[in-house]
Amino acid sequence: MPKIQAPSIAEHRELRRHQLISAAMELALEGGAEAVTVSAVAQKAGLSRSSIYEYFSSSADLIADLVVEELDYYTARLAEAIKDATDPFEKIELWIAEGLRYVEDGRHMLVKSLNTVSTPEFRKEEIAMGHRRLISPLRQALSETGIKEIGSAAAFLQSVTDSASTRIDAGNDAELEIQNAVTFALAGLRALSR
């Protein structure tokens, strides 16, 4: 029987799970979602291949965990960026800017890669909930502006940030793209709020 490396079995299991997630994240950052295989994760974590199945039903299940972890990371990053803002337009400005800095630092490529893998059906709601948590502060700020059609305004912002993301990915100056996206988006939102 293998020796546990934590004060309790539950803590040992959590330690092992974290070890596997860390190994999978390293592989995904280095080589994309296709690099995250059960064998590769086991080898990177220094565990047997069969031990992975104690925690995850498949590599797709493991990737679903990576998606959830990245959504949590991104949500926390955006929340930190807007935490001191009180004006809804300032919150939106900070939210857009931080979202585009996430693009600038390349982490979004991990999400794009992970989203190419079909996640298990039983994980889809958890991932959808993560997306809702991510967007919730933005939707709240939009509602505070007095804009009546929140869905339309959110779609408008998505188009602006998608365009800026594409331009940043193409090598354009990120700070200039962020500034332009924020200026354009806020002008449009202010017009919609009247």
Side-chain angles (χ1 to χ4, degrees), residues 9-81:
I9 292 174
E11 290 170 310
H12 176 76
R13 287 191 57 74
E14 186 54 34
L15 177 71
R16 282 284 188 243
R17 186 188 155 287
H18 180 73
Q19 198 176 359
L20 293 168
I21 290 290
S22 293
M25 185 66 81
E26 282 183 48
L27 288 166
L29 287 168
E30 292 166 7
E34 60 277 357
V36 182
T37 64
V38 171
S39 296
V41 171
Q43 183 177 10
K44 185 97 169 158
L47 299 170
S48 70
R49 187 171 186 236
S50 61
S51 68
I52 291 181
Y53 293 110
E54 293 176 36
Y55 302 89
F56 304 99
S57 62
S58 64
S59 58
D61 185 21
L62 179 55
I63 286 172
D65 251 46
L66 294 181
V67 170
V68 169
E69 294 249 339
E70 191 61 21
L71 283 169
D72 289 346
Y73 165 80
Y74 190 27
T75 299
R77 186 171 166 168
L78 291 169
E80 179 65 24

Side-chain angles (χ1 to χ4, degrees), residues 61-184:
D61 185 21
L62 179 55
I63 286 172
D65 251 46
L66 294 181
V67 170
V68 169
E69 294 249 339
E70 191 61 21
L71 283 169
D72 289 346
Y73 165 80
Y74 190 27
T75 299
R77 186 171 166 168
L78 291 169
E80 179 65 24
I82 67 170
K83 74 177 181 182
D84 296 327
T86 55
D87 176 73
F89 288 104
E90 182 186 7
K91 287 179 189 174
I92 294 165
E93 175 181 353
L94 293 169
W95 200 91
I96 292 168
E98 189 59 31
L100 291 173
R101 285 191 183 93
Y102 179 77
V103 171
E104 178 188 17
D105 72 20
R107 289 264 322 216
H108 75 295
M109 295 309 286
L110 172 64
V111 174
K112 281 185 175 183
S113 173
L114 295 175
N115 283 333
T116 64
V117 174
S118 187
T119 55
E121 198 59 43
F122 69 94
R123 301 297 303 271
K124 290 190 187 296
E125 180 53 35
E126 181 183 9
I127 292 169
M129 190 180 308
H131 281 283
R132 287 191 295 273
R133 274 192 311 272
L134 175 74
I135 206 79
S136 178
L138 178 63
R139 293 185 71 81
Q140 178 63 38
L142 285 169
S143 71
E144 292 170 11
T145 65
I147 293 172
K148 294 192 182 1
E149 292 293 324
I150 301 299
S152 177
F156 164 73
L157 287 179
Q158 184 68 52
S159 296
V160 171
T161 56
D162 284 351
S163 177
S165 296
T166 300
R167 293 182 54 77
I168 291 168
D169 279 343
N172 290 299
D173 179 77
E175 283 307 312
L176 180 61
E177 294 302 329
I178 291 167
Q179 180 184 350
N180 289 342
V182 165
T183 300
F184 186 79

